[in-house]
Amino acid sequence: MHVILNGQPLEVADGARLPSLVPDARGVAVAVNGVVVCAGDWPATVLQDNDRIEVVTARQGG
Amino acid sequence: MDVADLGVEIAGTRVPSRLWLGTGGLTSHDTVRRVVEAGRPGLVTVSMRRTSDTGANGLLMTLRELGVRLLPNTAGCRSAREAVLTAQLAREALGTDWVKLEVIGDELSLLPDVIELVEAAAILVDDGFTVLPYTTADPVVAQRLVDVGCAAVMPLGSPIGSGRGITDPYAIESVRAAVSVPLVLDAGIGTASEAAQAMELGCDAVLVATAVTRSENPVAMARAMHLGVQAGALARGAGRVPRRQQARASSPMQGRVKI
């Protein structure tokens, strides 16, 4: 199946969960389809076809 | 003399300096470190952006090592919905419920969309955030932001990155008169004297980014800003003389030489 990771299409295995896309939770946060998913909930989050996943971290900014 | 900078209290937490620093425009993590050491800001703002494949976040590691409080912003957001999600992501990524709330309404001037701003602020306050909104220097909007529970108000001196200083000092004074929460001059500062002016007008802190990060010598300018903010705070407390139409001799008239 396909998901959209940070705007880019990505092929993932059926039943894939969030940690397979984001192995290290330090300093990052994840939203799936516009809703924040806490790091503690990543292992239980099974991705669905066409999920839109945003993974963000801190960058320089004013 | 560093006694002027006792910091500023935001939502019951003491931020240890009245100078706040944005990191946008700094080119290396080493420069970030030296600028923070020179300016000793009370907090440092960061933006939230998609991760890349460059591995560990060096900026975050540097700032954590420096022990400075992080203030994530919602820069680039154009709607309340985007800003709320960005703030929630920042809370999750950085472990802080403080947010510099920014909702841009016009790409050319980067002026805020204050309608969306007030809406986003209300949602985030309800969600437990300490909200510090970047806004126009308008006492009516400032009051609306306070009404929905913002912990401070951060009016702009002039457009973001313009370096034009405080183009309407009266507007800043008007906001100061309208609200009792901390006032943070955010955006437009070009050099240290303008940071001092912000404090003289009644601001409690000054947030600078471009003025430091894109100056010819960011480390020296960070130090200048630190001193400028202190000078302005001292001058505000000292009470300036009133402006007069005519001259008034400071030397005594008695005892002059007569020929």
mmCIF file of all heavy atoms in Angstrom, chain A residues 18-43:
data_model
loop_
_atom_site.group_PDB
_atom_site.id
_atom_site.type_symbol
_atom_site.label_atom_id
_atom_site.label_comp_id
_atom_site.label_asym_id
_atom_site.label_seq_id
_atom_site.Cartn_x
_atom_site.Cartn_y
_atom_site.Cartn_z
ATOM 1 N N LEU A 18 3.813 2.754 12.785
ATOM 2 C CA LEU A 18 4.590 3.995 12.737
ATOM 3 C C LEU A 18 6.085 3.830 13.011
ATOM 4 O O LEU A 18 6.902 4.459 12.339
ATOM 5 C CB LEU A 18 3.999 5.027 13.705
ATOM 6 C CG LEU A 18 3.002 6.018 13.084
ATOM 7 C CD1 LEU A 18 2.508 6.987 14.156
ATOM 8 C CD2 LEU A 18 3.624 6.787 11.927
ATOM 9 N N PRO A 19 6.502 2.999 14.000
ATOM 10 C CA PRO A 19 7.940 2.918 14.262
ATOM 11 C C PRO A 19 8.767 2.459 13.055
ATOM 12 O O PRO A 19 9.974 2.737 12.992
ATOM 13 C CB PRO A 19 8.027 1.906 15.413
ATOM 14 C CG PRO A 19 6.715 2.041 16.102
ATOM 15 C CD PRO A 19 5.719 2.256 14.999
ATOM 16 N N SER A 20 8.136 1.784 12.087
ATOM 17 C CA SER A 20 8.916 1.372 10.915
ATOM 18 C C SER A 20 9.298 2.579 10.058
ATOM 19 O O SER A 20 10.285 2.537 9.322
ATOM 20 C CB SER A 20 8.113 0.355 10.085
ATOM 21 O OG SER A 20 6.964 0.972 9.530
ATOM 22 N N LEU A 21 8.541 3.664 10.158
ATOM 23 C CA LEU A 21 8.869 4.884 9.410
ATOM 24 C C LEU A 21 9.693 5.857 10.243
ATOM 25 O O LEU A 21 10.476 6.642 9.711
ATOM 26 C CB LEU A 21 7.583 5.589 8.957
ATOM 27 C CG LEU A 21 6.676 4.842 7.987
ATOM 28 C CD1 LEU A 21 5.529 5.738 7.566
ATOM 29 C CD2 LEU A 21 7.464 4.388 6.770
ATOM 30 N N VAL A 22 9.486 5.845 11.558
ATOM 31 C CA VAL A 22 10.151 6.809 12.445
ATOM 32 C C VAL A 22 10.782 6.030 13.592
ATOM 33 O O VAL A 22 10.207 5.900 14.668
ATOM 34 C CB VAL A 22 9.144 7.839 13.002
ATOM 35 C CG1 VAL A 22 9.883 9.024 13.597
ATOM 36 C CG2 VAL A 22 8.155 8.298 11.942
ATOM 37 N N PRO A 23 11.983 5.484 13.371
ATOM 38 C CA PRO A 23 12.576 4.631 14.395
ATOM 39 C C PRO A 23 12.985 5.378 15.662
ATOM 40 O O PRO A 23 12.978 4.789 16.741
ATOM 41 C CB PRO A 23 13.793 4.015 13.695
ATOM 42 C CG PRO A 23 14.036 4.845 12.484
ATOM 43 C CD PRO A 23 12.759 5.532 12.127
ATOM 44 N N ASP A 24 13.352 6.663 15.539
ATOM 45 C CA ASP A 24 13.866 7.404 16.699
ATOM 46 C C ASP A 24 12.911 8.552 17.030
ATOM 47 O O ASP A 24 12.737 9.472 16.235
ATOM 48 C CB ASP A 24 15.264 7.947 16.387
ATOM 49 C CG ASP A 24 15.940 8.538 17.624
ATOM 50 O OD1 ASP A 24 15.261 8.713 18.659
ATOM 51 O OD2 ASP A 24 17.148 8.828 17.535
ATOM 52 N N ALA A 25 12.321 8.508 18.209
ATOM 53 C CA ALA A 25 11.310 9.497 18.600
ATOM 54 C C ALA A 25 11.918 10.780 19.155
ATOM 55 O O ALA A 25 11.211 11.763 19.337
ATOM 56 C CB ALA A 25 10.371 8.890 19.645
ATOM 57 N N ARG A 26 13.231 10.787 19.400
ATOM 58 C CA ARG A 26 13.822 11.936 20.084
ATOM 59 C C ARG A 26 13.752 13.212 19.236
ATOM 60 O O ARG A 26 14.259 13.246 18.112
ATOM 61 C CB ARG A 26 15.283 11.646 20.445
ATOM 62 C CG ARG A 26 15.416 10.680 21.632
ATOM 63 C CD ARG A 26 16.848 10.337 21.899
ATOM 64 N NE ARG A 26 17.453 9.666 20.737
ATOM 65 C CZ ARG A 26 18.728 9.282 20.684
ATOM 66 N NH1 ARG A 26 19.536 9.534 21.679
ATOM 67 N NH2 ARG A 26 19.187 8.663 19.613
ATOM 68 N N GLY A 27 13.109 14.231 19.782
ATOM 69 C CA GLY A 27 13.050 15.536 19.116
ATOM 70 C C GLY A 27 12.139 15.605 17.913
ATOM 71 O O GLY A 27 12.168 16.593 17.187
ATOM 72 N N VAL A 28 11.342 14.565 17.685
ATOM 73 C CA VAL A 28 10.430 14.609 16.544
ATOM 74 C C VAL A 28 8.993 14.388 17.029
ATOM 75 O O VAL A 28 8.756 13.902 18.120
ATOM 76 C CB VAL A 28 10.780 13.567 15.454
ATOM 77 C CG1 VAL A 28 12.195 13.761 14.952
ATOM 78 C CG2 VAL A 28 10.564 12.157 15.957
ATOM 79 N N ALA A 29 8.069 14.795 16.180
ATOM 80 C CA ALA A 29 6.650 14.553 16.454
ATOM 81 C C ALA A 29 5.989 14.123 15.158
ATOM 82 O O ALA A 29 6.458 14.444 14.062
ATOM 83 C CB ALA A 29 5.988 15.811 17.001
ATOM 84 N N VAL A 30 4.901 13.385 15.312
ATOM 85 C CA VAL A 30 4.227 12.796 14.159
ATOM 86 C C VAL A 30 2.742 13.138 14.184
ATOM 87 O O VAL A 30 2.096 13.080 15.238
ATOM 88 C CB VAL A 30 4.399 11.256 14.169
ATOM 89 C CG1 VAL A 30 3.534 10.607 13.086
ATOM 90 C CG2 VAL A 30 5.860 10.879 13.978
ATOM 91 N N ALA A 31 2.235 13.508 13.018
ATOM 92 C CA ALA A 31 0.785 13.635 12.841
ATOM 93 C C ALA A 31 0.373 12.699 11.719
ATOM 94 O O ALA A 31 1.065 12.582 10.701
ATOM 95 C CB ALA A 31 0.404 15.068 12.498
ATOM 96 N N VAL A 32 -0.727 12.005 11.919
ATOM 97 C CA VAL A 32 -1.301 11.163 10.868
ATOM 98 C C VAL A 32 -2.671 11.743 10.509
ATOM 99 O O VAL A 32 -3.529 11.894 11.387
ATOM 100 C CB VAL A 32 -1.431 9.691 11.327
ATOM 101 C CG1 VAL A 32 -2.094 8.852 10.225
ATOM 102 C CG2 VAL A 32 -0.060 9.121 11.685
ATOM 103 N N ASN A 33 -2.806 12.096 9.258
ATOM 104 C CA ASN A 33 -4.045 12.708 8.763
ATOM 105 C C ASN A 33 -4.469 13.902 9.616
ATOM 106 O O ASN A 33 -5.642 14.085 9.945
ATOM 107 C CB ASN A 33 -5.164 11.669 8.687
ATOM 108 C CG ASN A 33 -4.792 10.521 7.761
ATOM 109 O OD1 ASN A 33 -4.130 10.728 6.742
ATOM 110 N ND2 ASN A 33 -5.193 9.309 8.126
ATOM 111 N N GLY A 34 -3.459 14.717 9.985
ATOM 112 C CA GLY A 34 -3.752 15.968 10.680
ATOM 113 C C GLY A 34 -3.969 15.849 12.163
ATOM 114 O O GLY A 34 -4.348 16.835 12.804
ATOM 115 N N VAL A 35 -3.703 14.679 12.730
ATOM 116 C CA VAL A 35 -3.869 14.495 14.179
ATOM 117 C C VAL A 35 -2.551 14.000 14.770
ATOM 118 O O VAL A 35 -1.960 13.038 14.262
ATOM 119 C CB VAL A 35 -4.997 13.483 14.484
ATOM 120 C CG1 VAL A 35 -5.134 13.271 15.994
ATOM 121 C CG2 VAL A 35 -6.318 13.963 13.890
ATOM 122 N N VAL A 36 -2.098 14.663 15.840
ATOM 123 C CA VAL A 36 -0.841 14.273 16.475
ATOM 124 C C VAL A 36 -0.984 12.886 17.099
ATOM 125 O O VAL A 36 -1.983 12.586 17.752
ATOM 126 C CB VAL A 36 -0.442 15.289 17.566
ATOM 127 C CG1 VAL A 36 0.821 14.843 18.295
ATOM 128 C CG2 VAL A 36 -0.234 16.670 16.940
ATOM 129 N N VAL A 37 0.029 12.048 16.865
ATOM 130 C CA VAL A 37 0.073 10.731 17.503
ATOM 131 C C VAL A 37 1.255 10.729 18.473
ATOM 132 O O VAL A 37 2.406 10.896 18.054
ATOM 133 C CB VAL A 37 0.243 9.592 16.467
ATOM 134 C CG1 VAL A 37 0.260 8.238 17.170
ATOM 135 C CG2 VAL A 37 -0.860 9.661 15.418
ATOM 136 N N CYS A 38 0.972 10.601 19.778
ATOM 137 C CA CYS A 38 2.035 10.609 20.789
ATOM 138 C C CYS A 38 2.972 9.417 20.568
ATOM 139 O O CYS A 38 2.535 8.344 20.118
ATOM 140 C CB CYS A 38 1.441 10.538 22.182
ATOM 141 S SG CYS A 38 0.384 11.936 22.562
ATOM 142 N N ALA A 39 4.250 9.609 20.915
ATOM 143 C CA ALA A 39 5.244 8.570 20.655
ATOM 144 C C ALA A 39 4.852 7.238 21.296
ATOM 145 O O ALA A 39 5.101 6.166 20.726
ATOM 146 C CB ALA A 39 6.613 9.029 21.150
ATOM 147 N N GLY A 40 4.214 7.308 22.447
ATOM 148 C CA GLY A 40 3.807 6.085 23.135
ATOM 149 C C GLY A 40 2.771 5.284 22.357
ATOM 150 O O GLY A 40 2.616 4.072 22.578
ATOM 151 N N ASP A 41 2.071 5.957 21.455
ATOM 152 C CA ASP A 41 1.030 5.277 20.669
ATOM 153 C C ASP A 41 1.531 4.794 19.309
ATOM 154 O O ASP A 41 0.774 4.162 18.565
ATOM 155 C CB ASP A 41 -0.169 6.214 20.452
ATOM 156 C CG ASP A 41 -0.876 6.551 21.759
ATOM 157 O OD1 ASP A 41 -0.768 5.744 22.711
ATOM 158 O OD2 ASP A 41 -1.513 7.615 21.835
ATOM 159 N N TRP A 42 2.804 5.105 18.988
ATOM 160 C CA TRP A 42 3.306 4.719 17.660
ATOM 161 C C TRP A 42 3.263 3.202 17.427
ATOM 162 O O TRP A 42 2.820 2.762 16.357
ATOM 163 C CB TRP A 42 4.745 5.212 17.443
ATOM 164 C CG TRP A 42 4.878 6.713 17.354
ATOM 165 C CD1 TRP A 42 3.878 7.635 17.455
ATOM 166 C CD2 TRP A 42 6.093 7.446 17.158
ATOM 167 N NE1 TRP A 42 4.397 8.906 17.347
ATOM 168 C CE2 TRP A 42 5.740 8.818 17.166
ATOM 169 C CE3 TRP A 42 7.424 7.077 16.984
ATOM 170 C CZ2 TRP A 42 6.705 9.823 16.986
ATOM 171 C CZ3 TRP A 42 8.376 8.083 16.809
ATOM 172 C CH2 TRP A 42 8.018 9.434 16.808
ATOM 173 N N PRO A 43 3.727 2.391 18.399
ATOM 174 C CA PRO A 43 3.763 0.938 18.122
ATOM 175 C C PRO A 43 2.380 0.356 17.823
ATOM 176 O O PRO A 43 2.263 -0.655 17.108
ATOM 177 C CB PRO A 43 4.339 0.341 19.421
ATOM 178 C CG PRO A 43 5.120 1.462 20.026
ATOM 179 C CD PRO A 43 4.338 2.692 19.701
#
